[in-house]
C-alpha cells in the first residue's frame, strides 16, 4: 500500500515507540523508509545556537543502527539528518516527505491534548497541518494503556 514512508523522530522514547510499526508497514508493503531527524537548536535573539539535546551524537548513531536493522530485514532505508534550522522540525520533515514523494509520515506523540497541546505547540500537531501526505500518529504506550 505504502511505497515510501518517512519516520519522523526526535530520538526520544515516544518517537521510538513508532519504530516497530514503521518496520512492519515497510515489510508488509515492500516500502522504502526514510528516517528523518531534525537537530533542534536553541534560538535566542534570532541566532541559532547549540543542539537542544546533549546526547545528539548518540541519537544519530542509534538512527543509523535502526536503518541497518531495517536493511537486515529486507527494507531499503536511509537516514536524513537536518541541522542548523532552529526550531522547525515539522517543516523540515514535510520537506523531506515532499522530496521523497512519501505516501506516509509516521510520528510518535506524547499524547498531550487540550490546553497543554495548544500552549506547548506540538511539532506533531504542526506536522498534521503542513504534511504533503497522510500522517500516522502513534500514541505513547501510556496513552494506549489508558
Amino acid at each position: 500500500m505504502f511505497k515510501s514512508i518517512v519516520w519522523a523522530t526526535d530520538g526520544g522514547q515516544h518517537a521510538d515507540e513508532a519504530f516497530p510499526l514503521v518496520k512492519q508497514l515497510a515489510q508488509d508493503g515492500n516500502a522504502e523508509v526514510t528516517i528523518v531527524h531534525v537537530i533542534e537548536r536553541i534560538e535566542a535573539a534570532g541566532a541559532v545556537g547549540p543542539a537542544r539535546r546533549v546526547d545528539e551524537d548518540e541519537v544519530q548513531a542509534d538512527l543509523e543502527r535502526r536503518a541497518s536493522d531495517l536493511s537486515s530485514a529486507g527494507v531499503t532505508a536511509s537516514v536524513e539528518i537536518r541541522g542548523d534550522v532552529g526550531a522547525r522540525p515539522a517543516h523540515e520533515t514535510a520537506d523531506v516527505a515532499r522530496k521523497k514523494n512519501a505516501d506516509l509520515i509516521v510520528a510518535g506523540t506524547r499524547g498531550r491534548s487540550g490546553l497543554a497541546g495548544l500552549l506547548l505547540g506540538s511539532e506533531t500537531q504542526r506536522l498534521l497541518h503542513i504534511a504533503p501526505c497522510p500522517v500516522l500518529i502513534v500514541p505513547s504506550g501510556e496513552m494506549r494503556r489508558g
Side-chain angles (χ1 to χ4, degrees):
M1 178 174 195
F2 302 111
K3 295 300 175 199
S4 177
I5 299 171
V6 166
W7 174 40
T9 177
D10 63 359
Q13 171 191 349
H14 301 289
D16 288 350
E17 290 181 16
F19 181 73
L21 182 60
V22 168
K23 185 176 180 180
Q24 189 64 54
L25 287 170
Q27 287 176 311
D28 290 351
N30 195 28
E32 178 178 318
V33 173
T34 303
I35 300 169
V36 177
H37 174 65
V38 178
I39 302 170
E40 292 183 73
R41 299 201 177 269
I42 297 170
E43 290 185 84
V48 178
R52 289 184 190 271
R53 295 185 65 114
V54 295
D55 63 343
E56 186 62 46
D57 290 339
E58 290 100 20
V59 167
Q60 291 182 34
D62 180 59
L63 297 178
E64 292 293 344
R65 282 189 294 275
R66 288 175 186 262
S68 179
D69 176 49
L70 288 168
S71 294
S72 295
V75 174
T76 301
S78 62
V79 177
E80 184 150 345
I81 306 294
R82 294 283 179 107
D84 300 325
V85 296
R88 295 176 32 102
H91 293 274
E92 294 298 313
T93 300
D95 183 53
V96 171
R98 264 186 227 89
K99 288 181 179 173
K100 292 289 186 171
N101 247 356
D103 304 305
L104 180 69
I105 299 171
V106 178
T109 184
R110 286 179 279 231
R112 286 193 181 114
S113 61
L115 187 57
L118 290 173
L119 292 175
L120 296 172
S122 165
E123 285 302 313
T124 304
Q125 187 173 6
R126 186 170 292 122
L127 184 59
L128 288 170
H129 294 282
I130 64 172
C133 60
V135 179
L136 176 61
I137 304 301
V138 179
S140 72
E142 295 131 20
M143 295 299 293
R144 289 192 303 266
R145 288 186 289 277

